[in-house]
Amino acid sequence: MKPDTGTAGMAGAASARALWIPAAGICEIREQPLPPPGDGQVRARMLFSGISRGTENLVFQGRVPVSEFERMRGPHMGGDFPFPVKYGYSAVGRVEQGPPSLAGRTVFCLHPHQDVFTVAADAVTPLPEGLPPARAVLAANMETALNIVWDADILPGDRVAVFGAGVVGALVAQLAAGIIGTDVLLIDRNPARRTLAAALGLGFATGETAAGPFDVLVNASGSAEALSRAIELAGQEARIVEASWYGDRSVSLPLGGAFHAHRLTIASSQVGSLPPARRARWPHARRLEKALELLRDDRLDRLISGETHFADLAAAYPAILADAETLCHRIRYTE
């Protein structure tokens, strides 16, 4: 059966509804003009989007440093930092108008929370067979986790500690555990996250109960205390990767004691930049395709901690961001 491009149904659509943040701690659904798709563009109707709590909370609270205004811009962000801004980057929709190769396809796009959107055709990535659209909202997190594992340079047989059992930390630990011979421990100060670790087949400890030494340590917790604990647990010449983003916060570290004696390395990881060994062969399109493939694991549904309908999002958004138990919160756009 030939896919329905939706041209007739969308011909009269001239606006879309999107979540905007006009000031710190305030959000609202706004109606805005929706340009018709031109040559090389698609129009997609949102099925689901995902809230990435850590980054979106910093944006919501107005804690993006001025120095990062340009680097923090999302591909289809609306407005400017600090406010008003339309922000988000985990969107799954169905193409209603566009090139025949994409018409009717379910796709992922780095787009804010919005019910209908128009973007360049090369800005969307079709979902692979076997990946439910409702889980595909984790694609941006999986891409981040993949880059962290590359930056960490985890090798077979390594003993690996991952601090922070949030979405990114859990995905990093899961990817690391797939490398043959590794011994991976997911560490979080919340003992309730043990259940999540068990569901993903991972070992678990709180920071106080974890015992080193480790060969590779990743901090995805957003906590300077966890980074300090990583230094304590690192083995001789171990590699520590800081994957958290602190916004406008400063942190202090214990760089006396074991840090120099153990000749430790602390490296940053940021999804916008690849390690040199990957840079030439892994353009963004290839990375995102791989991230979507890696999500074809039913256990990863445990990383969706709640769901809200788009019509209720403005009222629910502050509480979702404030809840420390939020992993990935999914927004549903269909009845």
Side-chain angles (χ1 to χ4, degrees), residues 70-116:
E70 286 305 312
R71 278 190 287 264
M72 273 289 294
R73 287 193 68 87
H76 303 101
M77 186 182 99
D80 294 290
F81 292 124
F83 306 107
V85 65
K86 177 180 69 172
Y87 198 80
Y89 48 79
S90 296
V92 179
R94 182 168 290 116
V95 174
E96 296 189 323
Q97 288 181 268
S101 61
L102 290 172
R105 299 287 299 275
T106 303
V107 297
F108 179 85
C109 183
L110 296 168
H111 200 283
H113 311 290
Q114 182 170 316
D115 61 354
V116 189

Side-chain angles (χ1 to χ4, degrees), residues 239-265:
R239 183 172 179 81
I240 300 171
V241 175
E242 177 54 86
S244 306
W245 190 63
Y246 295 92
D248 59 1
R249 285 186 295 150
S250 296
V251 301
S252 60
L253 295 176
L255 298 183
F259 178 75
H260 287 286
H262 287 170
R263 294 179 56 85
L264 302 180
T265 298

Side-chain angles (χ1 to χ4, degrees), residues 42 44 46 48-50 75-76 88-93 95 106-113 117-127 136-137 139-140 284 288 292:
V42 298
M46 194 82 84
F48 303 97
S49 63
H76 303 101
Y89 48 79
S90 296
V92 179
V95 174
T106 303
V107 297
F108 179 85
C109 183
L110 296 168
H111 200 283
H113 311 290
F117 57 90
T118 300
V119 296
D122 62 6
V124 302
T125 304
L127 270 54
V137 296
H284 184 253
L288 195 51
L292 288 165

Side-chain angles (χ1 to χ4, degrees), residues 202-247:
L202 301 168
F204 178 86
T206 60
E208 296 77 16
T209 61
F214 292 92
D215 304 296
V216 182
L217 306 95
V218 175
N219 183 30
S221 70
S223 164
E225 291 78 11
L227 183 56
S228 297
R229 182 63 172 148
I231 292 173
E232 295 174 7
L233 295 176
Q236 187 73 22
E237 299 189 354
R239 183 172 179 81
I240 300 171
V241 175
E242 177 54 86
S244 306
W245 190 63
Y246 295 92

Side-chain angles (χ1 to χ4, degrees), residues 98-317:
S101 61
L102 290 172
R105 299 287 299 275
T106 303
V107 297
F108 179 85
C109 183
L110 296 168
H111 200 283
H113 311 290
Q114 182 170 316
D115 61 354
V116 189
F117 57 90
T118 300
V119 296
D122 62 6
V124 302
T125 304
L127 270 54
E129 290 290 331
L131 175 59
R135 190 188 306 147
V137 296
L138 295 168
N141 300 121
M142 179 61 89
E143 183 192 353
T144 300
L146 180 62
N147 198 35
I148 292 169
V149 170
W150 286 341
D151 279 324
D153 196 21
I154 300 168
L155 298 175
D158 277 344
R159 190 159 189 247
V160 182
V162 180
F163 292 81
V167 176
V168 171
L171 289 173
V172 169
Q174 193 228 20
L175 290 177
I179 298 171
I180 192 167
T182 54
D183 180 6
V184 180
L185 187 66
L186 185 59
I187 300 171
D188 198 282
R189 60 188 174 188
N190 181 0
R193 290 289 165 91
R194 186 182 301 275
T195 302
L196 172 63
L200 297 177
L202 301 168
F204 178 86
T206 60
E208 296 77 16
T209 61
F214 292 92
D215 304 296
V216 182
L217 306 95
V218 175
N219 183 30
S221 70
S223 164
E225 291 78 11
L227 183 56
S228 297
R229 182 63 172 148
I231 292 173
E232 295 174 7
L233 295 176
Q236 187 73 22
E237 299 189 354
R239 183 172 179 81
I240 300 171
V241 175
E242 177 54 86
S244 306
W245 190 63
Y246 295 92
D248 59 1
R249 285 186 295 150
S250 296
V251 301
S252 60
L253 295 176
L255 298 183
F259 178 75
H260 287 286
H262 287 170
R263 294 179 56 85
L264 302 180
T265 298
I266 300 178
S268 67
S269 182
Q270 204 281 330
V271 70
S273 298
L274 292 181
R278 300 281 173 172
R279 207 167 291 160
R281 299 183 309 280
W282 284 88
H284 184 253
R286 184 183 178 192
R287 300 198 306 270
L288 195 51
E289 287 175 1
K290 178 56 65 176
L292 288 165
E293 289 177 16
L294 291 169
L295 289 174
R296 291 184 297 189
D297 183 335
D298 292 346
R299 295 177 300 173
L300 298 180
D301 285 332
R302 297 294 295 266
L303 297 178
I304 309 294
S305 57
E307 184 175 286
T308 297
H309 196 278
F310 180 64
D312 303 318
L313 181 56
Y317 194 69

